[in-house]
Amino acid sequence: SQQGEEDPQALSIQEGENATMNCSYKTSINNLQWYRQNSGRGLVHLILIRSNEREKHSGRLRVTLDTSKKSSSLLITASRAADTASYFCATGHDYKLSFGAGTTVTVRA
Amino acid sequence: GAGVSQTPSNKVTEKGKYVELRCDPISGHTALYWYRQSLGQGPEFLIYFQGTGAADDSGLPNDRFFAVRPEGSVSTLKIQRTERGDSAVYLCASSLGYKNTEAFFGQGTRLTVV
């Protein structure tokens, strides 16, 4: 079963704009991880945020986590054409990662 | 190698045939996962190994699916009597096996059953 649900399902933005996507989940977690996938193949790990953390940054990425609302957000700043991909959140509980259906982001040049 | 390696990259097989998909995890990673991803969906958990043992195989859809990891490194996912509904991308991931460690994925094997 898939735990995380991303919103929106699809997002189209102009190069240089910021992209924000959200993830909601239902049960308790140890961590939440964000991944990027190009062309339906391998998943690239972007960032892991632990349940006791509220915000984390990595380059142009900013992730927030609100465990009281069971939600997370991923912000990509100053988007580039190369950011066009599907983005997935995955909730980690013990050893298991459960994925949502993803957000498809298209960055227009 | 530097990352998780999966072979073959693509596999086309006839309905009813047997297939094996191979995963070579990152060296030193004790945890290994198999996921299946259908078009437009997120990855769906199949099985998790900690070392040589399958710690959780609750995601395997039926008894046609089986996976092994005999020496605690390379893993093979085996599918018997393949059906068209088995067509998907099969993804393998590995991690250090502790809580709150990142899982790194391979490029996947795209299985097409015709």
Side-chain angles (χ1 to χ4, degrees):
Chain A
S1 63
Q2 298 189 325
Q3 149 123 270
E5 287 188 15
E6 289 92 343
D7 172 63
Q9 288 186 334
L11 183 59
S12 179
I13 55 173
Q14 199 73 31
E15 201 166 26
E17 292 180 340
N18 296 343
T20 300
M21 59 210 86
N22 303 295
C23 171
S24 59
Y25 58 93
K26 295 185 174 68
T27 61
S28 65
I29 62 171
N30 298 122
N31 62 74
L32 190 143
Q33 304 187 38
W34 284 91
Y35 288 84
R36 184 184 73 228
Q37 185 177 47
N38 295 87
S39 305
R41 296 308 292 259
L43 291 152
V44 174
H45 189 272
L46 296 177
I47 202 162
L48 178 152
I49 186 165
R50 301 182 183 197
S51 61
N52 61 354
E53 296 176 314
R54 292 296 165 258
E55 188 170 313
K56 209 159 179 183
H57 297 254
S58 176
R60 293 183 296 111
L61 306 179
R62 173 178 167 252
V63 167
T64 64
L65 178 64
D66 187 335
T67 53
S68 66
K69 294 181 179 177
K70 291 189 167 56
S71 68
S72 173
S73 69
L74 170 66
L75 167 69
I76 306 173
T77 60
S79 62
R80 305 167 181 169
D83 295 328
T84 294
S86 292
Y87 292 82
F88 293 90
C89 70
T91 52
H93 183 73
D94 291 333
Y95 55 84
K96 187 181 281 189
L97 279 179
S98 301
F99 286 81
T103 293
T104 300
V105 175
T106 303
V107 181
R108 306 186 306 274
Chain B
V4 177
S5 175
Q6 290 188 247
T7 54
S9 178
N10 291 282
K11 176 72 177 177
V12 180
T13 191
E14 291 181 348
K15 180 175 176 296
K17 298 287 189 186
Y18 167 82
V19 295
E20 289 189 351
L21 311 179
R22 177 188 166 109
C23 173
D24 202 336
I26 293 171
S27 178
H29 280 193
T30 59
L32 186 145
Y33 309 78
W34 284 99
Y35 283 79
R36 178 170 71 173
Q37 187 177 23
S38 300
L39 195 62
Q41 301 294 316
E44 177 186 21
F45 171 79
L46 295 178
I47 189 170
Y48 159 72
F49 287 90
Q50 182 60 257
T52 60
D56 183 347
D57 64 358
S58 62
L60 294 178
N62 52 59
D63 62 6
R64 295 186 298 105
F65 288 75
F66 189 71
V68 295
R69 194 185 185 200
E71 296 176 359
S73 179
V74 171
S75 176
T76 305
L77 178 65
K78 309 179 181 198
I79 310 173
Q80 298 177 319
R81 304 183 304 280
T82 51
E83 299 177 357
R84 292 201 178 87
D86 299 335
S87 296
V89 175
Y90 289 81
L91 295 162
C92 176
S94 70
S95 78
L96 286 170
Y98 306 119
K99 203 179 293 185
N100 291 328
T101 57
E102 295 89 345
F104 296 95
F105 282 77
Q107 287 298 303
T109 293
R110 184 180 301 279
L111 176 66
T112 304
V113 182
V114 297

